[in-house]
Amino acid sequence: MNKLPNLNALDPTIQADIQVRRSRYEVMLDQLRTQVRNPSQGYFGPESMTWQLYREPSIILGGMRALLLQIAHPAVAIGVAKYSDFEQDTIGRAHRTILSMVQIWFGDLNTANNSARRLHIIHSMIRGQMVWETEDEIIINPFCAADSDLLFWVLATIIDTTIQLFEKTVRPLSLKEKNQFYGETKIMAQLMGIPLEEYPSNLNNFYSRFLTYLDTGVLKLEQEGNAITKALFKLPYPIRRFQQILAEGFLPEQTKPLFAFRPSRTVLKVVLWAARMVNRIIPDDLRYAPHFHQAMYRMALSNRQRPRLIERWHYWLSTHIDWYFISNKLSPG
């Protein structure tokens, strides 16, 4: 559930701004479409690092890390607190967010565009103010969730978390693979609404900008961030404690004091060891996440090939079991 306002009820100035943002976004989306050679494959495909990284289930171990880093930005926390029922629908909100990203990564062209457009519309309606108090004055900075700097921070937490978790649980990435993955994130950035000229041109520039958020005091846990953190960790103690250990272990050192979780190096080592063992022992086809197999099913049909058994199995699950993790929109019905 969300608490987005009715567009027609917004201030005329904000309505005009939303329309300008949407027009610019559609131009960017049209330009991206022209670069896609196979609409059934979508923006990425089996040879992309995006598919190779996000088909690994162990990446989800970093989900809490990414969420905590996002809400450590006061503007992000204000937007979440003001426009979502995070206290009553924490799991549902997380699921919808993950599903939207999966549809962009693994969906065909129409699915990816529709999911990206939906996110952009929602972000363009989320407005707020950050208030900074100095010795001499109170500074009020209005923001929109579709502003490039906020979108960059959200995407940056996902990118950095993905690389960190893949290397910790699967295998080290070569510099060539990291650069390829980062090149693919430029597509993701534009789908989110970040103009290419406002996105770091290479991986080194990306991390330079990422570190400025960590090192310059931009991140702080204020009232909204604290409330969201409590909602994220409201499960029974054993589960909550395990969540906190994982989050603390993966968080950058600069942000650990914000949350003050008690570490447990032993538990963290066991989890990472178990994840690596699973990745070594379980065959790839049985290990890869459902959305990867659903995308491969769709591509097989588009190429007039018979999908493999495991791809047919995941497609059947997605169309017959309501609670199955990924929507059947990734595959043709």
Side-chain angles (χ1 to χ4, degrees):
M1 295 177 62
N2 61 59
K3 298 184 285 186
L4 291 174
N6 186 304
L7 179 61
N8 295 326
L10 293 173
D11 182 274
T13 304
I14 295 179
Q15 292 186 42
D17 180 67
I18 289 174
Q19 293 303 321
V20 170
R21 289 175 185 268
R22 288 186 183 179
S23 296
R24 291 174 180 170
Y25 180 73
E26 288 300 329
V27 170
M28 191 156 51
L29 210 56
D30 286 340
Q31 293 173 344
L32 277 175
R33 282 195 194 98
T34 63
Q35 302 171 23
V36 177
R37 290 176 295 180
N38 184 348
S40 176
Q41 180 172 288
Y43 284 102
F44 302 103
E47 303 305 317
S48 70
M49 287 304 301
T50 297
W51 278 29
Q52 292 178 51
L53 268 59
Y54 289 117
R55 69 189 179 187
E56 295 289 347
S58 56
I59 295 294
I60 200 67
L61 291 174
M64 190 62 74
R65 175 196 197 261
L67 286 173
L68 292 176
L69 288 177
Q70 289 169 21
I71 64 171
H73 194 301
V76 176
I78 291 170
V80 172
K82 185 177 180 180
Y83 291 98
S84 69
D85 292 324
F86 66 92
E87 291 183 326
Q88 288 74 34
D89 192 33
T90 306
I91 295 177
R93 184 184 183 280
H95 176 269
R96 289 189 295 274
T97 300
I98 294 171
L99 178 58
S100 295
M101 301 303 288
V102 165
Q103 288 175 338
I104 292 172
W105 292 325
F106 289 91
D108 61 18
L109 183 61
N110 286 336
T111 299
N113 282 342
N114 289 339
S115 184
R117 184 182 287 108
R118 184 169 58 251
L119 284 177
H120 186 265
I121 291 172
I122 291 172
H123 288 153
S124 69
M125 297 178 69
I126 296 176
R127 310 284 169 136
Q129 294 180 333
M130 286 194 297
V131 180
W132 307 93
E133 294 188 25
T134 68
E135 293 182 358
D136 303 320
E137 60 180 337
I138 297 177
I139 302 173
I140 299 177
N141 291 327
F143 68 83
C144 171
D147 291 342
S148 291
D149 60 330
L150 295 181
L151 291 175
F152 168 80
W153 177 242
V154 171
L155 180 56
T157 65
I158 297 171
I159 293 169
D160 182 63
T161 297
T162 298
I163 293 174
Q164 293 265 347
L165 266 293
F166 187 89
E167 294 200 307
K168 289 179 184 295
T169 61
V170 183
R171 62 172 176 81
L173 290 166
S174 68
L175 182 58
K176 180 180 179 180
E177 289 175 321
K178 289 181 182 179
N179 285 328
Q180 180 185 337
F181 175 56
Y182 184 71
E184 293 165 8
T185 71
K186 294 179 181 181
I187 298 173
M188 189 66 201
Q190 293 173 86
L191 288 170
M192 290 181 69
I194 306 173
L196 200 55
E197 61 270 18
E198 297 179 26
Y199 191 67
S201 59
N202 56 55
L203 191 60
N204 286 337
N205 291 343
F206 166 81
Y207 272 115
S208 293
R209 186 171 174 186
F210 182 74
L211 288 173
T212 62
Y213 283 80
L214 298 179
D215 296 336
T216 58
V218 173
L219 305 181
K220 54 185 71 176
L221 210 62
E222 299 188 332
Q223 179 179 350
E224 294 84 1
N226 275 311
I228 298 167
T229 302
K230 290 180 180 178
L232 289 173
F233 294 100
K234 64 182 180 182
L235 294 172
Y237 176 78
I239 301 175
R240 180 171 72 247
R241 176 70 181 124
F242 182 71
Q243 286 180 309
Q244 292 174 345
I245 290 170
L246 285 185
E248 195 280 339
F250 297 139
L251 282 170
E253 291 298 326
Q254 301 95 317
T255 62
K256 288 183 179 182
L258 296 177
F259 301 97
F261 298 141
R262 289 187 295 113
S264 174
R265 300 298 174 220
T266 301
V267 171
L268 187 64
K269 286 181 179 179
V270 169
V271 170
L272 291 176
W273 175 85
R276 288 191 291 267
M277 287 300 101
V278 166
N279 288 333
R280 291 176 185 172
I281 295 171
I282 298 181
D284 291 345
D285 277 344
L286 297 180
R287 187 180 77 247
Y288 290 156
H291 41 265
F292 172 74
H293 291 298
Q294 291 178 34
M296 294 299 291
Y297 176 95
R298 180 188 69 241
M299 290 187 60
L301 293 185
S302 72
N303 294 328
R304 300 183 182 278
Q305 298 173 349
R306 180 173 173 79
R308 294 183 303 147
L309 177 60
I310 192 164
E311 295 160 3
R312 299 200 303 272
W313 168 246
H314 280 283
Y315 174 68
W316 184 91
L317 287 174
S318 71
T319 55
H320 288 79
I321 302 179
D322 290 339
W323 50 261
Y324 195 60
F325 184 67
I326 300 301
S327 165
N328 62 11
K329 292 180 181 179
L330 287 178
S331 301

